Amino acid sequence: MCGREIDFIRAGLAEDWAVPLGPDCDAFEQELENFVGGTKRVAALVSGTAAVHLALVACGVGAGDEVIVQTFTFCASSHPVTYLGAVPVFVDSEKDSWNMDPDMLEAAIRDRIAKTGKTPKAIIPVALYGMPYRIDRIMEIADRYGIPVIEDAAEGFGSTFRGQTLGTFGRYGVLSFNGNKMITTSGGGALICPDEASRNEIMWYATQARESYPYYQHEAIGYNYRMSNICAGIGRGQMTVADEHIAHHRHVQSLYEELLKDVEGITMHTNPGPEYDSNFWLCTATLDPELKVKGQENAYRQVVTGAVGGAAGVTHATSTAVTDCQPNDNVEAMRMALDAAGIESRPLWKPMHKQPVYRNNPAYTNGVSESLFATGICLPAGPWVTDEQVRYIVATIRESIL
Ligand SMILES: *Cc1c(COP(=O)(O)O)cnc(C)c1O
């Protein structure tokens, strides 16, 4: 918390807006609409996952349908497809942006039509670590086949492609305000909608899909997904520092780029061209498989307890230290070396098509996401990371190399 969150919450509570609805929800949505450029309408929801879910509902996704999802992502991009009884079809990434490969997307669409006789119901590209996807090409292909695009910009709050804010290109755009995202409402998300009518439809689904009678009358299945007024108050406080946060993430990224540029075997993930302006929500790097890191012969010797990266929630205990798809030994050794120095890093996200729960899903792959998962690492980035700490992190990285 660093903005004026407490002021907004106190003012809301003083006027008895502890109930879910209230003026801060409306104001927060208005502020978000302005932030993304003023041409769209925004619905504030309980999470980014809920936003993905409702966007799919609004695109008419139902049991047996297929939805194309970037495989290199966090599970919240694809799980809501499964909630609806539909099938995520995974598409791999291109090398430079790390996000959905447009050529592979088109090949996948053609192949699904050939194999099933049906066109996929939606396409979900993901701004992984904040990096924009090749949205001009993705939109061109999607429009040609008449498939709506749901942009998962949960990690890409404030990132732009050719100067336009992510989340405003597709029919819907997903934002997340989870505790670890660019801005937080302690837990929350939003859906960027094309117009007032579609925002109303989303809000209707988000508030249990009630018909207008003096009693509860339901003609569709709804959800309890509306953001509470208290969370929106936190969001309003965060909006006062959003630009600062993004600028700081970009600053930390540029410092890593500068300090790591002459370290052989370590490559920072950077904006691949002038069209891209990542928010650098997370700063990421890849390690050359030939790079030797101290202690790598001992990587994966121990079963991990709890989730790597301090993820909130409950994890199942596991009995094996390894899986058939995991980061290289030198990456795990680097993670352990940083950890020993009090620095939290973590692997890149494991591609969905390699997750056991999706083992039977169709996947169109080119090796890019698997290779990134094997070689990549997320370095500390965030509003509280100082220049001095970045220097300490880079020094620790240098020391850990043999
Ligand atoms: C965080 C995240 C989401 C979901 O957001 P929650 O608010 O945590 O539900 C969706 N997609 C991606 C890529 C994310 O990183």
Side-chain angles (χ1 to χ4, degrees):
M1 297 294 111
C2 45
R4 295 179 41 223
E5 294 87 352
I6 298 293
D7 299 342
F8 286 109
I9 295 173
R10 195 174 284 132
L13 288 177
E15 290 171 30
D16 263 343
W17 289 113
V19 294
L21 296 182
D24 287 319
C25 285
D26 302 333
F28 183 42
E29 285 166 342
Q30 183 69 58
E31 288 161 13
L32 290 168
E33 286 168 10
N34 294 341
F35 181 84
V36 301
T39 60
K40 299 273 183 160
R41 302 301 319 275
V42 171
L45 303 169
V46 292
S47 67
T49 310
V52 175
H53 194 178
L54 290 187
L56 291 164
V57 169
C59 288
V61 174
D65 288 333
E66 291 188 340
V67 172
I68 294 188
V69 185
Q70 180 170 318
T71 188
F72 197 32
T73 188
F74 179 64
C75 64
S77 309
S78 55
H79 281 1
V81 176
T82 318
Y83 301 165
L84 290 165
V87 179
V89 171
F90 295 112
V91 166
D92 218 320
S93 291
E94 47 174 10
K95 275 203 185 111
D96 55 357
S97 72
W98 293 10
N99 293 322
M100 186 179 277
D101 181 328
D103 294 324
M104 195 139 248
L105 165 66
E106 178 150 28
I109 295 170
R110 285 169 179 270
D111 195 54
R112 295 327 293 166
I113 294 172
K115 287 213 167 84
T116 69
K118 286 197 333 187
T119 308
K121 274 288 183 66
I123 299 168
I124 308 184
V126 183
L128 214 63
Y129 312 120
M131 183 60 71
Y133 21 70
R134 187 83 224 192
I135 191 63
D136 55 341
R137 293 209 50 217
I138 291 171
M139 287 309 297
E140 186 273 314
I141 294 163
D143 289 344
R144 200 142 34 76
Y145 290 89
I147 309 172
V149 170
I150 300 168
E151 293 177 69
D152 185 344
E155 302 178 3
F157 181 81
S159 299
T160 63
F161 185 84
R162 293 206 176 114
Q164 186 178 332
T165 305
L166 292 195
T168 63
F169 293 84
R171 186 177 300 174
Y172 292 102
V174 170
L175 300 176
S176 167
F177 312 121
N178 199 350
N180 57 354
K181 293 288 159 71
M182 186 59 85
I183 65 164
T184 180
T185 57
S186 79
L191 192 65
I192 304 171
C193 304
D195 48 36
E196 181 63 16
S198 37
R199 181 189 172 278
N200 271 342
E201 192 196 18
I202 293 296
M203 240 355 141
W204 180 74
Y205 278 117
T207 51
Q208 305 287 27
R210 289 166 300 178
E211 306 297 331
S212 48
Y213 291 89
Y215 40 85
Y216 290 137
Q217 172 88 1
H218 300 288
E219 295 172 15
I221 297 294
Y223 305 84
N224 184 7
Y225 278 173
R226 180 79 167 111
M227 180 180 282
S228 82
N229 200 63
I230 290 177
C231 291
I234 300 174
R236 293 190 67 193
Q238 288 270 293
M239 285 304 279
T240 65
V241 292
D243 289 333
E244 263 170 64
H245 278 201
I246 294 168
H248 186 72
H249 280 249
R250 286 179 174 147
H251 166 72
V252 168
Q253 166 75 16
S254 65
L255 204 53
Y256 277 122
E257 286 182 25
E258 171 64 25
L259 297 173
L260 282 166
K261 71 170 186 292
D262 61 347
V263 178
E264 213 176 308
I266 299 189
T267 312
M268 286 300 291
H269 181 36
T270 60
N271 283 315
E275 308 95 325
Y276 298 79
D277 196 6
S278 175
N279 62 10
F280 290 107
W281 171 62
L282 289 188
C283 299
T284 54
T286 48
L287 272 60
D288 189 318
E290 301 304 317
L291 184 78
K292 293 278 174 286
V293 175
K294 287 179 192 163
Q296 69 181 60
E297 63 284 359
N298 294 323
Y300 298 114
R301 283 290 175 81
Q302 263 184 1
V303 172
V304 169
T305 51
V308 170
V314 175
T315 53
H316 274 173
T318 173
S319 55
T320 60
V322 295
T323 68
D324 66 350
C325 172
Q326 63 186 20
N328 291 338
D329 287 353
N330 62 356
V331 174
E332 175 60 6
M334 180 70 76
R335 187 188 70 76
M336 292 193 303
L338 290 168
D339 192 52
I343 300 161
E344 184 196 317
S345 67
R346 57 174 89 167
L348 302 185
W349 300 183
K350 180 165 178 167
M352 286 305 126
H353 73 275
K354 295 302 286 184
Q355 298 289 356
V357 74
Y358 288 124
R359 72 172 76 76
N360 296 324
N361 288 57
Y364 296 82
T365 59
N366 55 14
V368 170
S369 63
E370 282 173 53
S371 143
L372 288 169
F373 178 59
T375 59
I377 193 162
C378 300
L379 300 170
W384 312 115
V385 176
T386 64
D387 288 15
E388 201 185 330
Q389 286 168 334
V390 173
R391 291 206 178 84
Y392 171 64
I393 293 162
V394 171
T396 310
I397 290 173
R398 284 176 183 275
E399 279 164 27
S400 74
I401 295 171
L402 276 175

Short mmCIF file of all heavy atoms in Angstrom, two decimals, residues 249 252-253 256 268 280-284 338 342-346 377-386 389-390 393-394 397:
data_model
loop_
_atom_site.label_atom_id
_atom_site.label_comp_id
_atom_site.label_asym_id
_atom_site.label_seq_id
_atom_site.Cartn_x
_atom_site.Cartn_y
_atom_site.Cartn_z
N HIS A 249 9.06 -0.03 -12.66
CA HIS A 249 9.34 -1.35 -13.24
C HIS A 249 10.23 -1.20 -14.47
O HIS A 249 11.17 -1.97 -14.67
CB HIS A 249 8.04 -2.06 -13.61
CG HIS A 249 7.35 -2.71 -12.44
ND1 HIS A 249 7.26 -4.08 -12.29
CD2 HIS A 249 6.72 -2.17 -11.37
CE1 HIS A 249 6.59 -4.35 -11.17
NE2 HIS A 249 6.25 -3.21 -10.60
N VAL A 252 13.78 -0.41 -13.39
CA VAL A 252 14.48 -1.59 -12.87
C VAL A 252 14.93 -2.47 -14.04
O VAL A 252 16.07 -2.96 -14.08
CB VAL A 252 13.59 -2.37 -11.88
CG1 VAL A 252 14.17 -3.74 -11.57
CG2 VAL A 252 13.38 -1.56 -10.60
N GLN A 253 14.04 -2.63 -15.03
CA GLN A 253 14.39 -3.42 -16.21
C GLN A 253 15.62 -2.82 -16.91
O GLN A 253 16.56 -3.54 -17.26
CB GLN A 253 13.20 -3.44 -17.18
CG GLN A 253 13.53 -3.93 -18.59
CD GLN A 253 13.72 -5.42 -18.73
OE1 GLN A 253 13.33 -6.18 -17.83
NE2 GLN A 253 14.32 -5.85 -19.83
N TYR A 256 18.77 -3.67 -15.02
CA TYR A 256 19.20 -5.06 -15.27
C TYR A 256 19.85 -5.17 -16.65
O TYR A 256 20.89 -5.81 -16.81
CB TYR A 256 18.00 -6.02 -15.25
CG TYR A 256 17.54 -6.49 -13.89
CD1 TYR A 256 16.23 -6.26 -13.47
CD2 TYR A 256 18.38 -7.21 -13.05
CE1 TYR A 256 15.77 -6.72 -12.24
CE2 TYR A 256 17.93 -7.68 -11.81
CZ TYR A 256 16.62 -7.43 -11.42
OH TYR A 256 16.17 -7.90 -10.21
N MET A 268 18.79 -10.86 -21.07
CA MET A 268 17.54 -10.28 -20.59
C MET A 268 16.49 -10.33 -21.70
O MET A 268 16.82 -10.17 -22.88
CB MET A 268 17.73 -8.80 -20.19
CG MET A 268 18.47 -8.58 -18.89
SD MET A 268 17.66 -9.31 -17.45
CE MET A 268 16.18 -8.30 -17.29
N PHE A 280 7.10 -4.24 -18.08
CA PHE A 280 8.09 -5.04 -17.35
C PHE A 280 7.61 -5.34 -15.93
O PHE A 280 8.31 -5.13 -14.94
CB PHE A 280 9.48 -4.38 -17.37
CG PHE A 280 10.09 -4.46 -18.75
CD1 PHE A 280 10.18 -3.32 -19.54
CD2 PHE A 280 10.48 -5.67 -19.28
CE1 PHE A 280 10.69 -3.40 -20.84
CE2 PHE A 280 10.99 -5.76 -20.57
CZ PHE A 280 11.10 -4.62 -21.34
N TRP A 281 6.38 -5.87 -15.88
CA TRP A 281 5.82 -6.32 -14.60
C TRP A 281 6.81 -7.24 -13.91
O TRP A 281 7.09 -7.10 -12.73
CB TRP A 281 4.49 -7.03 -14.84
CG TRP A 281 3.96 -7.69 -13.61
CD1 TRP A 281 3.62 -7.07 -12.44
CD2 TRP A 281 3.75 -9.09 -13.41
NE1 TRP A 281 3.19 -8.02 -11.53
CE2 TRP A 281 3.27 -9.26 -12.10
CE3 TRP A 281 3.91 -10.22 -14.23
CZ2 TRP A 281 2.95 -10.50 -11.58
CZ3 TRP A 281 3.59 -11.46 -13.71
CH2 TRP A 281 3.11 -11.59 -12.40
N LEU A 282 7.34 -8.21 -14.66
CA LEU A 282 8.46 -8.98 -14.16
C LEU A 282 9.63 -8.84 -15.12
O LEU A 282 9.43 -8.79 -16.33
CB LEU A 282 8.11 -10.47 -14.01
CG LEU A 282 7.14 -10.83 -12.89
CD1 LEU A 282 7.04 -12.35 -12.74
CD2 LEU A 282 7.55 -10.22 -11.56
N CYS A 283 10.83 -8.76 -14.56
CA CYS A 283 12.04 -8.74 -15.37
C CYS A 283 12.52 -10.18 -15.50
O CYS A 283 12.65 -10.88 -14.49
CB CYS A 283 13.11 -7.89 -14.70
SG CYS A 283 12.59 -6.17 -14.49
N THR A 284 12.74 -10.62 -16.72
CA THR A 284 13.06 -12.03 -16.94
C THR A 284 14.32 -12.15 -17.79
O THR A 284 14.66 -11.27 -18.56
CB THR A 284 11.90 -12.74 -17.66
OG1 THR A 284 11.59 -12.02 -18.86
CG2 THR A 284 10.66 -12.81 -16.79
N LEU A 338 20.54 -17.49 -5.54
CA LEU A 338 19.88 -16.22 -5.21
C LEU A 338 19.13 -16.35 -3.89
O LEU A 338 19.18 -15.46 -3.04
CB LEU A 338 18.95 -15.81 -6.35
CG LEU A 338 19.64 -15.38 -7.66
CD1 LEU A 338 18.63 -15.27 -8.81
CD2 LEU A 338 20.37 -14.07 -7.48
N GLY A 342 19.20 -14.40 -0.03
CA GLY A 342 18.02 -13.67 0.40
C GLY A 342 17.27 -13.02 -0.75
O GLY A 342 16.51 -12.07 -0.56
N ILE A 343 17.45 -13.53 -1.97
CA ILE A 343 16.81 -12.95 -3.15
C ILE A 343 15.81 -13.95 -3.71
O ILE A 343 16.17 -15.09 -4.01
CB ILE A 343 17.87 -12.63 -4.24
CG1 ILE A 343 18.90 -11.62 -3.70
CG2 ILE A 343 17.19 -12.12 -5.52
CD1 ILE A 343 20.19 -11.59 -4.50
N GLU A 344 14.56 -13.52 -3.85
CA GLU A 344 13.54 -14.42 -4.38
C GLU A 344 13.49 -14.33 -5.91
O GLU A 344 13.23 -13.27 -6.46
CB GLU A 344 12.17 -14.08 -3.80
CG GLU A 344 11.10 -15.05 -4.24
CD GLU A 344 9.68 -14.51 -4.02
OE1 GLU A 344 9.42 -13.92 -2.95
OE2 GLU A 344 8.85 -14.70 -4.91
N SER A 345 13.75 -15.44 -6.57
CA SER A 345 13.55 -15.49 -8.02
C SER A 345 12.67 -16.71 -8.27
O SER A 345 12.35 -17.43 -7.34
CB SER A 345 14.88 -15.64 -8.75
OG SER A 345 15.45 -16.91 -8.47
N ARG A 346 12.26 -16.91 -9.49
CA ARG A 346 11.47 -18.10 -9.76
C ARG A 346 11.55 -18.46 -11.23
O ARG A 346 11.92 -17.62 -12.06
CB ARG A 346 10.02 -17.93 -9.33
CG ARG A 346 9.33 -16.75 -9.98
CD ARG A 346 7.86 -16.73 -9.63
NE ARG A 346 7.61 -15.98 -8.41
CZ ARG A 346 6.38 -15.60 -8.03
NH1 ARG A 346 5.34 -15.93 -8.76
NH2 ARG A 346 6.21 -14.91 -6.93
N ILE A 377 14.34 -17.39 -16.13
CA ILE A 377 14.23 -17.07 -14.70
C ILE A 377 13.60 -15.67 -14.55
O ILE A 377 13.85 -14.79 -15.37
CB ILE A 377 15.62 -17.16 -14.02
CG1 ILE A 377 15.49 -17.14 -12.49
CG2 ILE A 377 16.56 -16.06 -14.50
CD1 ILE A 377 16.74 -17.65 -11.78
N CYS A 378 12.75 -15.52 -13.53
CA CYS A 378 12.18 -14.21 -13.21
C CYS A 378 13.01 -13.59 -12.10
O CYS A 378 13.21 -14.21 -11.05
CB CYS A 378 10.74 -14.35 -12.69
SG CYS A 378 9.61 -15.11 -13.82
N LEU A 379 13.45 -12.37 -12.33
CA LEU A 379 14.24 -11.65 -11.32
C LEU A 379 13.35 -10.67 -10.57
O LEU A 379 12.33 -10.23 -11.10
CB LEU A 379 15.38 -10.91 -12.02
CG LEU A 379 16.34 -11.83 -12.78
CD1 LEU A 379 17.30 -11.01 -13.64
CD2 LEU A 379 17.11 -12.71 -11.81
N PRO A 380 13.73 -10.32 -9.35
CA PRO A 380 12.90 -9.40 -8.57
C PRO A 380 12.65 -8.08 -9.32
O PRO A 380 13.58 -7.51 -9.90
CB PRO A 380 13.72 -9.16 -7.30
CG PRO A 380 14.56 -10.37 -7.17
CD PRO A 380 14.89 -10.78 -8.58
N ALA A 381 11.41 -7.66 -9.33
CA ALA A 381 11.04 -6.39 -9.94
C ALA A 381 9.84 -5.90 -9.16
O ALA A 381 9.04 -6.69 -8.71
CB ALA A 381 10.65 -6.58 -11.40
N GLY A 382 9.72 -4.64 -8.97
CA GLY A 382 8.56 -4.18 -8.23
C GLY A 382 8.82 -2.81 -7.66
O GLY A 382 9.94 -2.32 -7.69
N PRO A 383 7.74 -2.22 -7.13
CA PRO A 383 7.86 -0.83 -6.68
C PRO A 383 8.87 -0.64 -5.57
O PRO A 383 9.36 0.46 -5.37
CB PRO A 383 6.44 -0.47 -6.24
CG PRO A 383 5.69 -1.75 -6.15
CD PRO A 383 6.39 -2.74 -7.01
N TRP A 384 9.21 -1.72 -4.84
CA TRP A 384 10.10 -1.54 -3.69
C TRP A 384 11.53 -1.94 -3.97
O TRP A 384 12.39 -1.84 -3.11
CB TRP A 384 9.58 -2.34 -2.49
CG TRP A 384 8.12 -2.11 -2.26
CD1 TRP A 384 7.12 -3.04 -2.36
CD2 TRP A 384 7.46 -0.89 -1.93
NE1 TRP A 384 5.91 -2.47 -2.13
CE2 TRP A 384 6.08 -1.15 -1.86
CE3 TRP A 384 7.93 0.41 -1.70
CZ2 TRP A 384 5.15 -0.15 -1.57
CZ3 TRP A 384 7.00 1.41 -1.41
CH2 TRP A 384 5.63 1.11 -1.34
N VAL A 385 11.80 -2.44 -5.17
CA VAL A 385 13.17 -2.86 -5.49
C VAL A 385 14.01 -1.62 -5.81
O VAL A 385 13.68 -0.85 -6.71
CB VAL A 385 13.17 -3.84 -6.69
CG1 VAL A 385 14.60 -4.21 -7.09
CG2 VAL A 385 12.38 -5.09 -6.35
N THR A 386 15.09 -1.44 -5.06
CA THR A 386 15.92 -0.24 -5.24
C THR A 386 17.07 -0.51 -6.20
O THR A 386 17.40 -1.67 -6.48
CB THR A 386 16.52 0.21 -3.89
OG1 THR A 386 17.42 -0.84 -3.45
CG2 THR A 386 15.45 0.43 -2.83
N GLN A 389 19.59 -2.66 -4.62
CA GLN A 389 19.24 -4.09 -4.59
C GLN A 389 19.48 -4.74 -5.95
O GLN A 389 19.94 -5.87 -6.04
CB GLN A 389 17.78 -4.26 -4.16
CG GLN A 389 17.61 -4.01 -2.66
CD GLN A 389 16.16 -3.89 -2.24
OE1 GLN A 389 15.30 -3.52 -3.04
NE2 GLN A 389 15.89 -4.19 -0.99
N VAL A 390 19.16 -4.02 -7.03
CA VAL A 390 19.42 -4.59 -8.36
C VAL A 390 20.92 -4.86 -8.51
O VAL A 390 21.33 -5.90 -9.01
CB VAL A 390 18.91 -3.65 -9.48
CG1 VAL A 390 19.34 -4.18 -10.85
CG2 VAL A 390 17.40 -3.52 -9.42
N ILE A 393 21.71 -7.96 -6.61
CA ILE A 393 21.21 -9.14 -7.32
C ILE A 393 22.15 -9.50 -8.46
O ILE A 393 22.55 -10.67 -8.62
CB ILE A 393 19.77 -8.88 -7.86
CG1 ILE A 393 18.79 -8.75 -6.68
CG2 ILE A 393 19.32 -10.00 -8.80
CD1 ILE A 393 17.47 -8.06 -7.04
N VAL A 394 22.56 -8.49 -9.24
CA VAL A 394 23.44 -8.77 -10.38
C VAL A 394 24.81 -9.25 -9.87
O VAL A 394 25.40 -10.19 -10.43
CB VAL A 394 23.59 -7.52 -11.28
CG1 VAL A 394 24.68 -7.74 -12.33
CG2 VAL A 394 22.26 -7.21 -11.95
N ILE A 397 24.41 -12.83 -9.03
CA ILE A 397 24.36 -13.63 -10.25
C ILE A 397 25.77 -13.87 -10.76
O ILE A 397 26.17 -15.00 -11.07
CB ILE A 397 23.49 -12.92 -11.34
CG1 ILE A 397 22.02 -12.97 -10.93
CG2 ILE A 397 23.71 -13.58 -12.70
CD1 ILE A 397 21.10 -12.16 -11.84
#
